[in-house]
């Protein structure tokens, strides 16, 4: 059985769904602080990684072979204002999880890392050899965990694959799952909320970047393509240990996202052209060669119009 921490969250729930569809037995462990009860698709234990005794009981009670570890707080701005929250939850919580895994002889983990560990890009596209230099506490917690995984691999033979996501986006094709953050800070849901009138306007953060249209460029990867990568990672833990970037390799600007949303919905949102947001790099694009080579990963859902279409379907028919 596979333990999925944070399995009630955005990427976690889509991964659980895909693993279940492919015959894996999953057990979700989530404190439901940011996760959603309605996103729980498998056996579920409400719990917190900082409650080490309860976590240990889970490992004693269930026959856990591997762990996929999503559980983490992920608001960059909040991590700057309240780093304590992030170091305690993301870092200490993960140390507890790893302690309990080692104590119970479970030595395989797929970890949810991020391209934010690389910091300001020194070259594009970003491969796994890019220097690591996170610029906010959120990225630092993920990067510290990446270091811990490396050390635990050497000392305790912990097998790990740390997946570094670029911009997770979109929703499940069947409309069953999607992105629901409170507060919402991500571009695509905010554009769609401006389109359906839930918010008054979308603010474009900066129009003077050194990019073709002056707005920031990101690499948007559909959450269902991320889900398939997690299954592949679980299946390759015996033959690969290390870090793997997950993105499309194609950059899309903020303006292009808004244009696609207008094309798909037929509705123009109010757009305000604002200042740059602190901490934003102008371009973040992934080199995904390693994912293709090691995992045999294929990207099937990340065409930008498909991302917007599935996200729009979700936005209009949200279940949570
Ligand atoms: N962005 C924007 N307006 C918003 C939210 C985001 O212009 O209301 C831009 C942001 O500057 C970035 C891109 O959209 O270039 C993606 O931001 P998001 O917060 O979705 O993801 P991030 O790249 O920060 O992880």
């Amino acid at each position: 059985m596979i333990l999925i921490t944070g399995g009630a969250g955005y990427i976690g729930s889509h991964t659980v769904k895909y693993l279940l569809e492919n015959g894996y037995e999953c057990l979700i462990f989530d404190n439901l602080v940011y996760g959603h009860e309605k996103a729980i698709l498998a056996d579920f234990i409400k719990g917190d990684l900082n409650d080490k005794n309860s976590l240990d009981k889970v490992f004693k009670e269930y026959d856990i072979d591997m762990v996929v570890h999503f559980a983490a707080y992920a608001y960059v701005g909040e991590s700057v204002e309240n780093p304590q929250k992030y170091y305690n939850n993301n870092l200490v919580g993960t140390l507890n999880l790893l302690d309990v895994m080692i104590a119970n002889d479970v030595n395989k983990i797929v970890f949810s890392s991020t391209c934010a560990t690389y910091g300001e890009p020194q070259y594009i596209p970003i491969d796994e050899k890019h220097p690591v230099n996170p610029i906010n506490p959120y990225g630092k917690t993920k990067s510290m965990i990446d270091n811990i995984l490396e050390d635990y691999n050497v000392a305790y033979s912990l097998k790990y694959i740390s997946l570094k996501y670029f911009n997770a986006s979109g929703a499940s094709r069947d409309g069953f799952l999607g992105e629901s953050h409170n507060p919402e800070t991500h571009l695509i849901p905010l554009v769609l909320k401006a389109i359906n009138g839930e918010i008054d306007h979308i603010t474009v953060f900066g129009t003077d970047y050194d990019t073709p249209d002056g707005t920031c460029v990101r690499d948007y990867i559909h959450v269902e393509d991320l889900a398939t990568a997690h299954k592949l990672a679980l299946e390759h833990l015996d033959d690969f240990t290390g870090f793997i970037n997950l993105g499309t390799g194609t950059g899309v600007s903020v303006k292009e996202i808004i244009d696609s949303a207008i094309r798909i919905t037929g509705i123009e949102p109010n757009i305000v052209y604002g200042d740059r947001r602190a901490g934003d790099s102008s371009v973040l694009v992934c080199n995904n060669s390693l994912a293709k080579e090691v995992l045999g990963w294929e990207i099937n859902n990340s065409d930008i119009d498909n991302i917007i279409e599935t996200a729009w379907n979700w936005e209009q028919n949200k279940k949570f």
Side-chain angles (χ1 to χ4, degrees):
M1 155 173 277
I2 300 169
L3 182 74
I4 319 270
T5 75
Y10 175 42
I11 306 170
S13 60
H14 284 83
T15 300
V16 168
K17 181 170 182 283
Y18 184 69
L19 289 174
L20 293 174
E21 286 165 359
N22 284 275
Y24 283 89
E25 231 185 318
C26 297
L27 175 64
I28 295 172
F29 187 87
D30 199 301
N31 61 12
L32 294 184
V33 170
Y34 289 119
H36 301 277
E37 210 155 347
K38 288 190 179 154
I40 295 170
L41 303 179
D43 289 345
F44 171 61
I45 291 171
K46 185 172 177 190
D48 200 293
L49 294 175
N50 282 326
D51 179 359
K52 207 168 167 180
N53 288 336
S54 303
L55 194 58
D56 190 62
K57 278 191 197 134
V58 174
F59 276 79
K60 300 250 172 333
E61 199 172 318
Y62 294 86
D63 187 14
I64 294 164
D65 309 301
M66 306 186 251
V67 176
V68 188
H69 178 34
F70 292 100
Y73 296 147
Y75 287 108
V76 170
E78 185 186 54
S79 81
V80 175
E81 280 153 28
N82 189 1
Q84 227 179 351
K85 177 171 173 178
Y86 280 70
Y87 287 109
N88 276 304
N89 184 70
N90 296 7
L91 190 57
V92 178
T94 302
L95 284 169
N96 287 338
L97 173 66
L98 295 174
D99 281 353
V100 171
M101 284 177 65
I102 291 165
N104 290 280
D105 294 323
V106 176
N107 73 337
K108 290 183 176 178
I109 184 166
V110 173
F111 175 57
S112 189
S113 188
T114 167
C115 68
T117 54
Y118 296 118
E120 185 60 33
Q122 296 181 10
Y123 56 83
I124 296 289
I126 299 171
D127 59 19
E128 292 80 0
K129 294 191 183 74
H130 188 284
V132 167
N133 187 21
I135 56 171
N136 54 64
Y138 163 69
K140 287 179 189 171
T141 63
K142 294 286 184 178
S143 174
M144 286 174 185
I145 295 164
D146 282 339
N147 290 333
I148 291 166
L149 292 171
E150 271 186 303
D151 292 342
Y152 282 24
N153 169 255
V154 173
Y156 314 123
S157 306
L158 181 76
K159 296 179 178 184
Y160 73 91
I161 294 181
S162 171
L163 298 173
K164 303 200 172 214
Y165 318 140
F166 281 64
N167 286 59
S169 49
S172 72
R173 239 163 313 171
D174 58 12
F176 211 73
L177 293 171
E179 190 168 10
S180 185
H181 297 114
N182 187 17
E184 187 53 76
T185 60
H186 293 111
L187 176 66
I188 293 175
L190 287 176
V191 170
L192 297 175
K193 284 178 198 301
I195 282 178
N196 74 11
E198 210 175 304
I199 57 175
D200 175 69
H201 62 268
I202 178 71
T203 303
V204 174
F205 293 146
T207 53
D208 59 349
Y209 283 101
D210 186 17
T211 58
D213 66 21
T215 66
C216 281
V217 169
R218 293 287 178 274
D219 184 329
Y220 295 89
I221 179 78
H222 196 284
V223 67
E224 290 190 322
D225 286 328
L226 290 180
T228 63
H230 288 80
K231 172 178 169 286
L232 291 166
L234 285 169
E235 292 166 355
H236 282 82
L237 282 165
D238 280 325
D239 51 71
F240 181 85
T241 292
F243 312 110
I244 298 181
N245 288 349
L246 297 177
T248 63
T250 302
V252 178
S253 75
V254 172
K255 271 196 182 143
E256 286 171 319
I257 291 286
I258 296 173
D259 288 346
S260 167
I262 294 170
R263 204 165 46 239
I264 302 275
T265 64
I267 303 168
E268 297 238 3
N270 294 327
I271 303 170
V272 171
Y273 295 96
D275 293 338
R276 293 183 178 199
R277 181 172 68 178
D280 271 342
S281 307
S282 65
V283 179
L284 292 174
V285 175
C286 170
N287 178 331
N288 59 19
S289 306
L290 193 65
K292 289 180 171 165
E293 189 187 309
V294 168
L295 303 179
W297 187 47
E298 287 177 15
I299 299 169
N300 294 314
N301 303 291
S302 295
D303 172 74
I304 206 66
D305 281 3
N306 183 59
I307 287 177
I308 301 286
E309 232 169 78
T310 55
W312 179 232
N313 179 37
W314 170 253
E315 209 54 54
Q316 290 174 298
N317 306 289
K318 265 188 165 176
K319 311 274 188 294
F320 48 86

